Amino acid sequence: MPLPPAPSKRAALLASDAYSLRASEELISFSPEPERAVSPLRAAPAAPASEATTSKAGARSRGRERKPELAPVPSQPAVRGPSPAAPAAERQPVEFRAPQPTGKPPIGSETVSRASPVASNRRAGRAKSGGSTGPARLFVLDTNVLLHDPMSLFRFEEHDIFLPMIVLEELDGHKKGMTEVARNGRQTSRTLDALVAQQGGDMTRGLKLSATGHLSARGLLFFQTEPLDAQLPASLPQGKADNQILGVVHALRDKHPQREVILVSKDINMRVKARALGLAAEDYQNDKTLDDGELLYAGALALPQDFWTRQSKTIESWASGSHTFYRVSGPAVSQFYINQFVYFEAPGEPSLYARVTEIRDKTAVLKTLKDFTHLKNAVWGVTSRNREQNFALNILMDPEVDFVTLAGTAGTGKTLMALASGLTQVLDDRRYTEIIMTRATVSVGEDIGFLPGTEEEKMGPWMGALDDNLEFLAKGDGGNAGEWGRAATNELIRSRIKVKSMNFMRGRTFMNKYVIIDEAQNLTPKQMKTLITRAGPGTKIICMGNLAQIDTPYLTEGSSGLTYAVDRFKGWPHGGHITLARGERSRLADFASEVL
């Protein structure tokens, strides 16, 4: 059996019918072999023999001569079975077709649903969905999703959104006030008004979500424009809003059996009830930066034991001031980020503690660190007691780093090191004019009520950590505090430290300030953005927090503002992060952190 001619162009550029050839009706005659013949994907009516012999080879490249032993490519799909112009024994069509890619349905098969997992869309809108031809999913949004993220309407890619009437009623009840929930409710109402006002929109047929400029949202928005009857168990009160939403989901599933109807809610009990009724329900995942807290960027990387043996013989090293630089290569370079700390510790070999300062192709430049474990390099009388604290002091004292994040359990020294570095650079080096300290005012227990006094006096009870560390630093318990430290009094130190409330940060600009944001794990990503964007020229911002002690409701390790900042700033040349692993407060605090 002759083979089809080799294509003169790349396969990716050929048309689909270029892979379907039929043997010549006049020149080829052989016995049919059913076990070797390739079945066509879709049968078509037989073309007359005269038309088959006179058709042009449209799938071939231009200028290619037609060989006499092969018939031209027909313009219609090949026909399984004999041609009407010859006996069946003499004319058996042979078809050559490229294999179908795995995962795509064959032509003519039943409609399949889209495979884009947008309900659990962790970072939905970033990954492009596939080009499948099935119906889009229909997501019914609960009110708490819209109050949590007003932009959630545009986070479901090509899938459609349905809003029950009770959701609009609940939105109307949450629009008053100055809280974050009230602001999100008003923003959602304005967004819905803009979508409804689009030109040519029809609420019964669906409104285009991309009409307001959000091109990533390619689906439609449906409102409940008619009553939907659904039979729910009699044990569920019909007057409750959650049960009415469940009834709408149940009715939509019965009304659109060919589509996948999913309830999206932040309410755990709501999702449990939906699954108990046999309805699909999922959490809104788009607000989570990471699915697992263990995946958070640690800021430090241990080099493998064979790191030096894998290096080439022409490794470069040079000295500049008190630092030594190494230009390294190898597979470990692919895991490096700018300003990431790397260390090499092996028995019988000298240790290396360095920071990545440059990455080019498959090579990286490592810069050795300053040893803050020695008393001669003490920062306001404070020395590092472990490897991670040494990394933290190096990044805190670097004037080229504008943004630092410190994470770690209780007692790892985050506040003490940040405050000592700030006092040294404000009073000794005169690099910054003053220290501004703030924190999220989230109570651990019941609120004690209003606090008297000015803004700074009201923030006093929240700044117990500041007072404890200042008392330690002012007394000089940390060793030789330097000339300024010995002469300074508590009044002088406190004159350079301002305690501010986060509630009044909007619109401010800090110039040449050393800003410390304590308990940053209790901030939302929006609040974190508000604080970081206050930085003006010459300002350095330090964010500290313990992700294991989140007191803000509805915030988790994956959705915390501290996690958001760490993930977004990793690899930035003027930002750094380190996760402190070992507590140095006391043996009691260390043991309690492990067992409680």
Side-chain angles (χ1 to χ4, degrees), residues 161-484:
I161 294 176
F162 188 92
L163 293 182
M165 191 60 63
I166 188 63
V167 170
L168 301 179
E169 288 288 338
E170 288 191 311
L171 277 177
D172 187 66
H174 286 88
K175 66 182 182 181
K176 297 180 180 179
M178 296 301 296
T179 62
E180 189 75 15
V181 172
R183 281 192 288 266
N184 291 342
R186 291 191 293 269
Q187 178 63 37
T188 302
S189 299
R190 287 190 289 267
T191 303
L192 293 176
D193 181 63
L195 289 171
V196 171
Q198 62 181 269
Q199 186 176 5
D202 187 355
M203 297 183 68
T204 59
R205 296 184 179 181
L207 304 172
K208 291 184 179 181
L209 289 168
S210 58
T212 56
H214 299 83
L215 301 181
S216 61
R218 303 183 297 277
L220 299 176
L221 172 63
F222 295 93
F223 290 93
Q224 183 181 353
T225 57
E226 59 182 5
L228 296 174
D229 297 329
Q231 297 296 330
L232 292 178
S235 59
L236 294 178
Q238 298 299 321
K240 191 174 182 181
D242 289 357
N243 298 334
Q244 294 184 37
I245 296 175
L246 291 175
V248 170
V249 177
H250 195 284
L252 289 174
R253 189 188 65 174
D254 297 340
K255 185 178 180 180
H256 304 284
Q258 76 282 3
R259 300 185 69 176
E260 188 176 0
V261 181
I262 302 173
L263 171 66
V264 182
S265 175
K266 297 292 293 180
D267 188 352
I268 298 177
N269 294 331
M270 180 81 160
R271 299 197 300 267
V272 172
K273 286 197 295 185
R275 290 172 183 141
L277 295 173
L279 304 175
E282 295 192 16
D283 189 10
Y284 179 69
Q285 304 282 1
N286 187 258
D287 60 327
K288 293 186 177 181
T289 306
L290 297 175
D291 300 337
D292 188 0
E294 299 294 333
L295 303 176
L296 183 65
Y297 171 65
L301 179 67
L303 297 176
Q305 297 294 319
D306 59 347
F307 177 74
W308 292 115
T309 58
R310 284 177 172 264
Q311 300 300 317
S312 61
K313 296 181 180 179
T314 58
I315 184 173
E316 299 181 45
S317 65
W318 65 94
S320 176
S322 60
H323 300 280
T324 304
F325 295 82
Y326 298 93
R327 190 181 303 277
V328 298
S329 59
V333 174
S334 61
Q335 307 176 29
F336 289 172
Y337 291 97
I338 296 293
N339 279 341
Q340 184 181 26
F341 293 97
V342 296
Y343 59 93
F344 177 82
E345 295 176 343
E349 297 188 22
S351 301
L352 172 69
Y353 303 99
R355 191 172 74 188
V356 181
T357 59
E358 180 183 324
I359 299 177
R360 289 189 180 180
D361 297 331
K362 297 182 180 180
T363 63
V365 175
L366 306 181
K367 177 184 177 181
T368 57
L369 305 178
K370 188 175 182 180
D371 185 15
F372 284 101
T373 61
H374 201 279
L375 283 175
K376 68 177 182 180
N377 296 326
V379 179
W380 202 264
V382 175
T383 58
S384 59
R385 295 186 179 182
N386 55 55
R387 179 180 60 227
E388 285 75 19
Q389 285 188 354
N390 190 31
F391 294 162
L393 287 175
N394 271 273
I395 204 79
L396 287 170
M397 296 298 295
D398 191 347
E400 295 298 323
V401 178
D402 301 331
F403 182 73
V404 178
T405 50
L406 301 177
T409 59
T412 51
K414 303 182 295 293
T415 307
L416 180 64
M417 289 188 297
L419 196 55
S421 301
L423 291 174
T424 299
Q425 296 176 83
V426 169
L427 297 176
D428 286 352
D429 301 338
R430 306 290 184 90
R431 190 174 296 157
Y432 308 103
T433 56
E434 64 180 358
I435 298 174
I436 294 179
M437 196 163 184
T438 184
R439 58 163 290 172
T441 54
V442 180
S443 302
V444 177
E446 293 292 334
D447 198 353
I448 62 175
F450 291 101
L451 298 173
T454 62
E455 176 191 359
E456 193 156 342
E457 291 173 347
K458 289 179 183 292
M459 290 295 296
W462 299 102
M463 289 299 172
L466 171 65
D467 297 333
D468 297 340
N469 288 281
L470 279 181
E471 183 181 358
F472 172 79
L473 294 173
K475 287 183 177 179
D477 293 340
N480 184 14
E483 182 179 353
W484 273 89

Side-chain angles (χ1 to χ4, degrees), residues 41-99:
L41 295 177
R42 179 167 54 184
S50 59
E51 295 179 6
T53 55
T54 58
S55 60
K56 300 297 182 180
R60 298 182 186 178
S61 59
R62 296 182 178 178
R64 184 178 178 88
E65 297 182 359
R66 189 174 65 183
K67 296 186 178 181
E69 67 274 14
L70 292 176
V73 179
S75 58
Q76 295 183 358
V79 182
R80 188 176 186 180
S83 173
E90 296 180 359
R91 293 181 175 87
Q92 175 70 21
V94 180
E95 301 195 5
F96 300 90
R97 288 192 181 269

Side-chain angles (χ1 to χ4, degrees), residues 485-533:
R486 289 190 301 269
T489 60
N490 286 335
E491 289 76 12
L492 175 61
I493 294 177
R494 288 188 175 275
S495 67
R496 297 299 183 93
I497 299 177
K498 296 292 187 298
V499 179
K500 299 296 181 182
S501 173
M502 289 176 45
N503 300 337
F504 312 106
M505 289 291 186
R506 183 76 72 182
R508 296 199 60 181
T509 301
F510 298 128
M511 293 184 290
N512 296 317
K513 301 292 193 296
Y514 187 92
V515 183
I516 300 176
I517 304 174
D518 202 4
E519 304 296 336
Q521 79 276 2
N522 288 322
L523 301 178
T524 64
K526 185 177 179 180
Q527 291 172 329
M528 181 65 74
K529 179 181 178 180
T530 300
L531 292 177
I532 297 176
T533 52

Side-chain angles (χ1 to χ4, degrees), residues 94-113:
V94 180
E95 301 195 5
F96 300 90
R97 288 192 181 269
Q100 288 261 346
T102 305
K104 290 188 179 180
I107 301 175
S109 63
E110 295 182 357
T111 303
V112 295
S113 61

